[in-house]
Amino acid sequence: MAQTTIRPVKNGPYLIEGEVDLFDTEGNKIPVEKSTIALCRCGASSNKPFCDGTHSRIGFQAAESINPASAE
């Protein structure tokens, strides 16, 4: 079984559970002190890359399913 799991919340963030190394675009490591973090999927969070709940206020609608072809 995987040590880390990623689960999308319907019309919300990605929940990351388990140990993870998180980096910004400059390659700097972002400290992660919780065993579960929520990463923004809507793009509107004021606390990126973390979710701040903005998706609820803006009515974010995520894709209903994963397109396996997009992973290629």
Side-chain angles (χ1 to χ4, degrees):
M1 182 177 236
Q3 296 287 331
T4 302
T5 59
I6 304 171
R7 300 174 203 269
V9 174
K10 185 173 182 171
N11 298 321
Y14 288 113
L15 291 183
I16 315 298
E17 300 169 335
E19 291 186 30
V20 62
D21 289 330
L22 185 62
F23 296 87
D24 66 15
T25 57
E26 302 294 320
N28 301 305
K29 190 171 182 179
I30 298 171
V32 176
E33 298 174 4
K34 299 178 181 178
S35 60
T36 300
I37 59 172
L39 296 181
C40 177
R41 196 160 54 133
C42 74
S45 173
S46 61
N47 192 30
K48 291 181 191 94
F50 303 103
C51 175
D52 69 358
T54 300
H55 60 273
S56 295
R57 292 192 307 276
I58 65 169
F60 175 67
Q61 296 288 309
E64 289 295 321
S65 62
I66 296 172
N67 178 356
S70 67
E72 296 175 358

